[in-house]
Amino acid sequence: MKWQPLFAERTTQMRRSTVRELLKVTAQPGMISFAGGIPAPELFPVPEVAQAAANVLQRRGEQALQYGETEGVAELRDWIAARFSRAHFQVRPENVMIVTGSQQALDLIGKVFLNAGDRVLVENPTYLAMLSAWRPMMPAFVPLPSDTDGLCVDALSPLLRAGAKLIYLVPNFQNPQGITLSLPRRRQLLECINGRRLVPSDVAQTFLSAGSGDIPVPCSKLLATGKRATTSHKPQTIIIEDNPYGELRYSGDPLPHLLELDAANGAGGELETCVIHLGTFSKVLIPGLRVGWVIAPAEVIDKLVQAKQAADLHTSTLCQHVILELIRNGVLERQIPRLREAYGLRRDTMLSALAAHFPDGTTWTRPDGGMFLLVTLPPHIEIGFLLKRALARNVAFVPGDDFHLDGQGRNTLRLNFSNATPERIEEGVKRLGGVLVEMLRTG
Ligand SMILES: Cc1ncc(COP(=O)(O)O)c(C=O)c1O
């Protein structure tokens, strides 16, 4: 059988992820891996998870092993709705859908919103697996520049005027750069998308009292119907706020979510916002259960539910119940500060090791949280060769060019600092610095 001609055209946009392929190599014993966005396994609350699973099976076994609602387990949705509600707006359970990791949310959003040719604005570099999820929909990705304050919002206005269906961003400790969108930029972004100024202290009031021409178009009006929404209202662009790392802050003050800055309740209490917010238990608890969530206006959730029904019916009921039990037992609230302390130390260790062992002419970002930083090397360094030499010395990293859209980033590398212990971070950075110095010396 000749399979190649039988694959659908969209599969030409699919390729294996460099990161996931590299993870196979990094699983080898002795390897110091700075490659994946992988939590520290020794910090997983294994006994607590075992206890939670036993409790669930004992107390709610029949329910937890049964098929469930596509939207997710009601108590978990309630908890997320309460956690994200603020004084000026309420998130209701119908605004929440549980997904099989936030990666599934990206996949479903691509299916529900993107037509071929739709313009999608993304930070450059950006999250690789979002590109993998959306490429088969054949959108036109438009790269946006960023600096130490995150996305350069000034670059946005002309691009928005030309039309854009989505803007995707990771505002906190971005993957791969580790940078965070500053509060002024968050406000500026929303002003830009909403087409008018927001007064931070009375966001809710502004929305509630706005005249008809001034009310943001709910993102439900932008579903992939095959034609663009015909409305003169603004905005026409949805913000996808992907926030897997927000709770993992090690320095600086926490910043409000874009959802929080933008959302309000309409007359009937429904959530109105141009932001679709994605979250996950992967980085703050455990990734193996594959439980994440989406917060959006109910009309959008309804469409995402339709897409999810076709994808997997629902996220594992057992996994959702175990997560819920871990929340009820206080494990999540204990785990977050524990991770902040451990990963904060690992970040500091990596930053000091880079300063000590990396040659002049290299620079790197200084994240306030998350799991990554991005190193920029002198332009003539051949990153593929560096990776080969590093792997030979049992150190792995991810070349940065895959995260870039425009062929840039060939002299960058992403380093993860959450997975290896501080001792191994020091050793791995030393080895990597040694390889680099050697390469620079020999030209
Ligand atoms: C920016 C970003 N979004 C989404 C995800 C997917 O996370 P999940 O495990 O919830 O699918 C990751 C995982 O690395 C990520 O870095």
Side-chain angles (χ1 to χ4, degrees):
M1 191 83 174
K2 282 192 175 20
W3 292 104
Q4 279 305 323
L6 300 176
F7 290 132
E9 199 188 323
R10 77 183 74 86
T11 65
T12 57
Q13 302 300 315
M14 296 176 184
R15 59 199 73 140
R16 278 175 181 263
S17 147
T18 328
V19 182
R20 301 215 72 77
E21 289 303 294
L22 207 54
L23 289 185
K24 291 180 189 162
V25 183
T26 60
Q28 289 168 12
M31 184 69 73
I32 300 178
S33 178
F34 302 137
I38 302 201
E42 71 279 11
L43 298 177
F44 288 151
V46 177
E48 290 87 343
V49 176
Q51 186 60 56
N55 291 351
V56 165
L57 289 172
Q58 216 170 36
R59 296 174 196 161
R60 277 165 285 151
E62 289 179 5
Q63 200 189 341
L65 296 176
Q66 188 54 283
Y67 281 114
E69 287 175 29
T70 305
E71 289 85 343
V73 167
E75 296 93 320
L76 189 56
R77 294 167 70 211
D78 290 346
W79 181 83
I80 291 165
R83 195 165 172 96
F84 281 83
S85 291
R86 297 288 182 270
H88 67 277
F89 74 97
Q90 291 292 307
V91 175
R92 295 166 162 186
E94 67 255 32
N95 302 123
V96 180
M97 180 174 83
I98 305 297
V99 278
T100 305
S102 52
Q103 186 61 35
Q104 185 182 45
L106 291 171
D107 182 59
L108 299 177
I109 286 168
K111 286 178 178 149
V112 158
F113 284 105
L114 291 179
N115 292 313
D118 276 346
R119 280 156 53 91
V120 173
L121 311 184
V122 295
E123 292 163 292
N124 192 34
T126 189
Y127 174 50
L128 191 56
M130 173 277 296
L131 294 174
S132 308
W134 292 354
R135 269 187 179 129
M137 313 302 157
M138 319 249 186
F141 287 109
V142 181
L144 297 169
S146 52
D147 60 22
T148 49
D149 277 340
L151 178 77
C152 296
V153 183
D154 285 341
L156 212 64
S157 293
L159 296 171
L160 288 175
R161 270 198 296 279
K165 178 68 89 57
L166 299 180
I167 173 165
Y168 168 84
L169 72 168
V170 182
N172 297 309
F173 328 123
Q174 192 237 22
N175 180 359
Q177 299 180 90
I179 54 172
T180 292
L181 189 67
S182 69
L183 184 56
R185 291 261 178 100
R186 285 174 198 232
R187 293 205 168 112
Q188 194 191 353
L189 171 66
L190 290 168
E191 282 163 14
C192 204
I193 297 279
N194 288 323
R196 70 193 198 298
R197 245 193 134 59
L198 293 182
V199 183
S201 57
D202 59 12
V203 172
Q205 200 48 44
T206 309
F207 277 84
L208 291 172
S209 62
S212 61
D214 210 17
I215 295 173
V217 169
C219 35
S220 50
K221 295 279 186 289
L222 299 173
L223 299 171
T225 54
K227 56 181 192 261
R228 289 199 62 83
T230 50
T231 171
S232 58
H233 294 321
K234 290 194 168 219
Q236 299 284 350
T237 304
I238 306 157
I239 299 177
I240 307 297
E241 178 177 43
D242 189 5
N243 188 38
Y245 305 105
E247 299 270 15
L248 298 177
R249 177 178 276 280
Y250 323 126
S251 50
D253 294 326
L255 297 174
H257 304 307
L258 292 166
L259 175 75
E260 193 175 337
L261 290 173
D262 188 59
N265 294 117
E270 70 280 10
L271 185 68
E272 287 184 354
T273 175
C274 62
V275 178
I276 298 180
H277 184 97
L278 314 186
T280 179
F281 293 102
S282 288
K283 312 295 180 179
V284 288
L285 214 39
I286 33 178
L289 292 183
R290 310 301 302 128
V291 180
W293 64 88
V294 184
I295 300 174
E299 209 177 338
V300 175
I301 294 292
D302 186 51
K303 190 53 81 179
L304 290 171
V305 164
Q306 293 167 28
K308 186 168 163 68
Q309 278 170 358
D312 64 354
L313 300 182
H314 62 82
T315 294
S316 157
T317 326
L318 180 59
C319 291
Q320 293 183 68
H321 277 286
V322 172
I323 292 277
L324 196 57
E325 187 71 10
L326 290 167
I327 292 170
R328 286 179 174 153
N329 293 347
V331 178
L332 175 68
E333 295 310 326
R334 286 197 295 279
Q335 184 71 355
I336 292 172
R338 187 168 171 238
L339 293 180
R340 280 186 193 140
E341 197 187 329
Y343 293 167
L345 174 66
R346 290 171 192 216
R347 174 203 60 175
D348 294 344
T349 305
M350 184 168 272
L351 288 173
S352 317
L354 285 167
H357 303 298
F358 267 40
D360 288 347
T362 54
T363 58
W364 48 87
T365 55
R366 290 165 194 284
D368 276 325
M371 295 188 168
F372 308 104
L373 54 81
L374 195 79
V375 177
T376 304
L377 304 172
H380 58 278
I381 293 276
E382 217 280 276
I383 207 86
F385 189 53
L386 174 67
L387 180 60
K388 225 167 129 184
R389 305 263 310 254
L391 288 174
R393 295 178 76 166
N394 271 349
V395 184
F397 64 83
V398 182
D401 51 349
D402 272 351
F403 302 96
H404 288 74
L405 275 164
D406 48 7
Q408 288 180 8
R410 287 179 195 282
N411 60 330
T412 61
L413 49 114
R414 189 191 73 174
L415 297 181
N416 163 271
F417 53 77
S418 60
N419 184 240
T421 59
E423 298 71 36
R424 286 168 73 77
I425 289 175
E426 167 65 29
E427 175 59 26
V429 172
K430 191 171 163 191
R431 283 189 213 167
L432 203 51
V435 173
L436 262 175
V437 169
E438 247 169 64
M439 280 177 73
L440 286 170
R441 199 179 319 121
T442 54

